[in-house]
Amino acid sequence: MKSSEEQAQVAYRRLALVDFPEDLRLGLNLGFYRTFAVPTIARVLVGTGKMTRNPRARAKATGELMYTLIEHGLDSSAGREAVAALNRLHSGLPVGEEEFVYVLAAFCVAPVRWIDRRGWRATTTDEKNAAYGFYAGLAERMHINLLPRSYSELALWMDEFEEEHFAVTGEGQALMDATRCLLAARFPSPVAPLVRLGADTLLDERLRAGVGAARPPAVVRGLVAVALWARAGRLRRRNRQTA
């Protein structure tokens, strides 16, 4: 019989790879963007130079590590190597343990909230608990000891942390600009400005304020909302047909 941690990893893997592959990946990106609004974390990210000089490579490297853990499990040989790589990358960084907890919270909570808001269905309590179980297991292997004891406690802790620590900085704005440029680069130049504005509609009000992003025009917000609503409906129909 699988342990509760193993069961959580299996359930989270299904959430990430089967039920919500696109939404969870986008949610992880949005979770990473939240770290830009924490001055101590933004300073470290800019200080390495990788996120602003080559955001595509940095985003790809982070994604590969996370999906190695999700796909193969925390205790697989590939998972252990990924955990070791994360520990090496974060060793000696000038941040406290609270910042490490916050990054895990953002990766855990932001995708779930995105799915609940924009996915083809809301996540279940069991899926939320599985997400928490996965990141609690990762926290243990990274020797992060201050993680709250449940998904609901972690989500509340994250909100309180953001209320206290979110602040606009030049570093956070530079990181957000680099991310927008990466997204816009995938589209033809005539529509790139709209893509940049559209990207900001994916940010909630607290995050927009935290990175100094302006609220997009109503017409852009409306177009993006309609597109996301249509996408959710299409995915809902597809999943019902294959159920």
Side-chain angles (χ1 to χ4, degrees):
M1 180 180 293
K2 289 184 173 67
S3 68
S4 58
E5 184 183 84
E6 290 173 321
Q7 290 174 345
Q9 290 184 46
V10 170
Y12 188 63
R13 184 178 304 125
R14 178 177 177 85
L15 191 76
L17 304 181
V18 178
D19 290 340
F20 299 100
E22 296 174 356
D23 283 297
L24 197 128
R25 190 176 290 274
L26 177 56
L28 286 172
N29 289 336
L30 293 174
F32 186 53
Y33 299 163
R34 303 193 82 80
T35 67
F36 302 169
V38 181
T40 50
I41 300 176
R43 194 177 307 124
V44 169
L45 290 172
V46 168
T48 67
K50 296 178 181 178
M51 194 62 201
T52 49
R53 287 199 307 264
N54 196 344
R56 184 183 299 277
R58 178 64 172 82
K60 181 180 178 181
T62 300
E64 286 177 349
L65 283 173
M66 291 306 302
Y67 273 84
T68 294
L69 295 169
I70 293 169
E71 291 180 25
H72 299 284
L74 299 173
D75 290 325
S76 66
S77 58
R80 289 195 297 270
E81 289 176 8
V83 170
L86 287 171
N87 283 327
R88 286 194 301 272
L89 287 169
H90 295 103
S91 176
L93 292 180
V95 295
E97 189 163 3
E98 270 201 334
E99 281 85 353
F100 287 119
V101 173
Y102 177 72
V103 173
L104 291 178
F107 280 177
C108 177
V109 176
V112 170
R113 286 180 169 172
W114 171 260
I115 291 169
D116 287 347
R117 183 182 174 206
R118 296 296 191 182
W120 62 273
R121 66 166 174 83
T123 58
T124 66
T125 299
D126 285 345
E127 287 168 337
K128 290 180 173 68
N129 291 338
Y132 172 81
F134 175 84
Y135 286 99
L138 180 56
E140 180 181 350
R141 288 158 179 81
M142 295 183 68
H143 313 292
I144 298 170
N145 301 311
L146 299 179
L147 201 74
R149 294 173 296 178
S150 67
Y151 175 86
S152 59
E153 290 183 19
L154 182 63
L156 178 61
W157 182 93
M158 187 181 88
D159 290 337
E160 292 175 346
F161 183 92
E162 291 180 351
E163 290 287 351
E164 180 177 354
H165 294 281
F166 268 18
V168 180
T169 63
E171 292 92 345
Q173 289 178 308
L175 290 164
M176 201 67 221
D177 287 343
T179 303
R180 289 195 198 95
C181 291
L182 175 61
L183 181 61
R186 299 176 183 175
F187 293 82
S189 56
V191 300
L194 180 60
V195 173
R196 287 170 64 91
L197 288 172
D200 283 351
T201 69
L202 307 181
L203 313 181
D204 59 76
E205 294 292 343
R206 184 191 297 161
L207 180 52
R208 276 203 293 267
V211 295
R215 193 182 193 199
V219 64
V220 175
R221 299 198 309 272
L223 288 171
V224 172
V226 169
L228 291 172
W229 174 83
R231 172 182 171 276
R234 184 176 68 255
L235 291 173
R236 189 178 301 113
R237 290 190 296 272
R238 186 187 72 185
N239 282 280
R240 285 174 177 170
Q241 290 170 358
T242 58

